[in-house]
Amino acid sequence: DFYSSITDSFEKIYPRMSQGGCICVHDYKWEHLPGVEKACTDFLAGKPEDGTLIDQHHLGFIIKQ
């Protein structure tokens, strides 16, 4: 369900991102791969971006604050 691959990627990329940088996540909120949405929600919990993930046709966008 891609949970671990999404989380691993976030752990490597997020700390290196500049403020205003964007992460695009494919298959976000797609019912066939629920692990993608869960990985995003779990990773962003407690971070400034928590609750700001934008869904556009199963593409999730996170802007680092």
Side-chain angles (χ1 to χ4, degrees), residues 22-55:
C22 181
I23 297 175
C24 178
V25 181
H26 191 251
D27 296 329
Y28 179 70
K29 289 197 172 186
W30 189 41
E31 64 274 1
H32 299 289
L33 295 172
V36 175
E37 181 177 3
K38 180 156 176 44
C40 293
T41 301
D42 290 353
F43 185 81
L44 293 175
K47 293 182 175 56
E49 298 79 17
D50 187 20
T52 65
L53 190 59
I54 300 164
D55 176 28

Side-chain angles (χ1 to χ4, degrees), residues 4-18:
S4 61
S5 62
I6 297 285
T7 302
D8 289 345
S9 297
F10 280 163
E11 288 173 359
K12 291 179 176 100
I13 299 301
Y14 181 86
R16 296 183 174 126
M17 290 178 66
S18 300

